[in-house]
Amino acid sequence: MPHDSGDRPPNPPNLQDTSAPHPGGSAADRDLRRLPKTHLHLHFTGSMRPGTLLDLADKYGVHLPEALSGGEPPKLRATDERGWFRFQRLYDIARSCLRSPEDIQRLVLEAAEEDVRDGSRWLEIQVDPTSYAPRLGGLIPALEIILDAVDRASSRTGLGMRVLVAANRTKHPLDARTLARLAVRYADRGIVGFGLSNDERRGFARDFDRAFSIARDGGLLAAPHGGELSGPGSVRDCLDDLDAGRIGHGVRAAEDPRLLRRLAERGVTCEVCPTSNVALGVYEKPEDVPLRTLFDAGVPMALGADDPLLFGARLADQYELARTHHEFTDAELAELARQSVRGSAAPEGVKSGLLAEIDAWAAD
């Protein structure tokens, strides 16, 4: 992984001027793609472009269900076990199309290009390398292929990129410990955090406390999923049992004022993914996502796209949703971008440079 010389932020990408009024807005609204920001919640396979999935499926003779080949995001609802199974099945089919180092390199480069287009200056992409190990020669070769792809994509696009390794909570906690040790071993190659993904209704956070202790002792950020499909109790478990420094999603904390105060006081960033929340049925409509509740309570947020392949929206769309459905002003959107920077694992020099860029956007 390249180190940022002098902790400078990556060179700002050349973005086309896409400024246009959002629905219900005015032409005076600043272009949200030009708002510098970081992206802290993007899953590996879920970052894929739909066209790339079609290409790879054709290359390997993989039959895609219409939900993945129809040109529109699939209709999902994961609030019950059957719905989550369908979501996971679609994700697994897409992942099965990633079979070579070249496929991995293409996915990561395109994910970086999409982030650059949306004004991201720093991306922490989340991956469970065990899911790719069978087709890439084993766990260690798979992780090295992924890290090499991230290194190349960062160099080609100028986007600061790092990796958050995530364990699967549906697997045995011993597997998570193995993965945590491996993540720490490769921390000098660009791994900055350790997460816990998949259906948060399965198992207990405390079962993975040892894995997270290994990761934290090795200098990695603890960033488990919680507070999406399960209620505020799952957020508390992440704080109490895993000593989380960031929470993947965390929106259900809005149901508990005391928990909101705790998150705000500790400065724990919630990686909120509004489009995902609606697509999976956590909330019925975009305006139901409690962005205002979290923001007004002082809970730091980092808006994220989660799985654009399945949800049809990328990073800038999340900011547009906050503007359109929650009436966030440009000043408030700039503050959301600042919160994403502060919650990242970027070096302090990179953070200060990005904060200055955000101030310039807001003052323009």
Side-chain angles (χ1 to χ4, degrees), residues 102-286:
E102 292 74 24
D103 300 338
I104 299 296
Q105 289 170 13
R106 178 178 178 180
L107 177 143
V108 175
L109 176 60
E110 291 177 352
E113 291 172 344
E114 293 290 348
D115 253 41
V116 164
R117 188 173 293 112
D118 274 3
S120 174
R121 301 289 197 268
W122 180 271
L123 168 62
E124 295 174 16
I125 196 164
Q126 185 166 162
V127 63
D128 174 3
T130 62
S131 301
Y132 306 88
R135 292 186 174 90
L136 295 175
L139 180 55
I140 291 177
L143 183 58
E144 292 184 345
I145 288 167
I146 290 166
L147 293 174
D148 180 62
V150 168
D151 189 358
R152 293 185 183 200
S154 181
S155 296
R156 287 187 60 176
T157 64
L159 176 70
M161 292 186 71
R162 298 294 185 269
V163 173
L164 191 146
V165 170
N168 186 336
R169 72 185 305 144
T170 68
K171 296 182 179 179
H172 198 281
L174 288 177
D175 293 338
R177 296 183 195 180
T178 298
L179 204 52
R181 293 187 182 96
L182 188 62
V184 169
R185 174 179 167 186
Y186 281 86
D188 63 347
R189 288 281 307 277
I191 295 175
V192 295
F194 188 73
L196 184 64
S197 60
N198 211 305
D199 189 348
E200 67 200 52
R201 296 165 296 195
R202 300 278 298 274
F204 298 99
R206 63 175 177 269
D207 294 337
F208 299 89
D209 58 352
R210 180 57 186 150
F212 275 82
S213 178
I214 292 168
R216 291 193 313 273
D217 289 347
L220 301 182
L221 172 73
H225 282 52
E228 182 193 24
L229 299 175
S230 291
S234 65
V235 177
R236 284 192 295 272
D237 290 345
C238 288
L239 295 175
D240 295 337
D241 299 329
L242 306 180
D243 197 15
R246 261 187 1 224
I247 302 289
H249 296 292
V251 284
R252 301 286 297 279
E255 300 166 20
D256 184 341
R258 292 180 61 185
L259 180 58
L260 287 176
R261 287 194 297 272
R262 186 178 176 192
L263 290 168
E265 290 169 358
R266 289 183 54 173
V268 175
T269 298
C270 290
E271 305 160 2
V272 179
C273 307
T275 301
S276 166
N277 294 158
V278 176
L280 294 179
V282 178
Y283 300 104
E284 291 296 325
K285 305 182 296 297

Side-chain angles (χ1 to χ4, degrees), residues 10-33:
N11 292 329
N14 292 321
L15 299 176
Q16 295 181 349
D17 186 0
T18 59
S19 55
H22 66 81
S26 70
D29 290 324
R30 292 171 176 84
D31 183 359
L32 292 177
R33 284 188 172 184

Side-chain angles (χ1 to χ4, degrees), residues 285-337:
K285 305 182 296 297
E287 53 267 34
D288 294 337
V289 181
L291 293 180
R292 275 285 169 198
T293 302
L294 293 165
F295 187 80
D296 291 345
V299 177
M301 285 186 285
L303 300 187
D306 204 2
D307 296 293
L309 174 66
L310 296 175
F311 305 138
R314 292 193 178 269
L315 180 59
D317 296 316
Q318 313 309 314
Y319 285 81
E320 188 62 53
L321 184 149
R323 171 189 269 172
T324 303
H325 294 282
H326 297 272
E327 299 183 345
F328 274 64
T329 65
D330 284 354
E332 291 171 328
L333 292 166
E335 179 54 27
L336 284 178

Side-chain angles (χ1 to χ4, degrees), residues 1-2 39 49 54 68 75 166 184 187 251 257 283 293 295 331 340 346:
M1 290 294 300
H39 197 177
R49 290 173 177 166
L54 295 177
L68 290 175
K75 298 194 182 312
V184 169
V251 284
Y283 300 104
T293 302
F295 187 80
S340 79

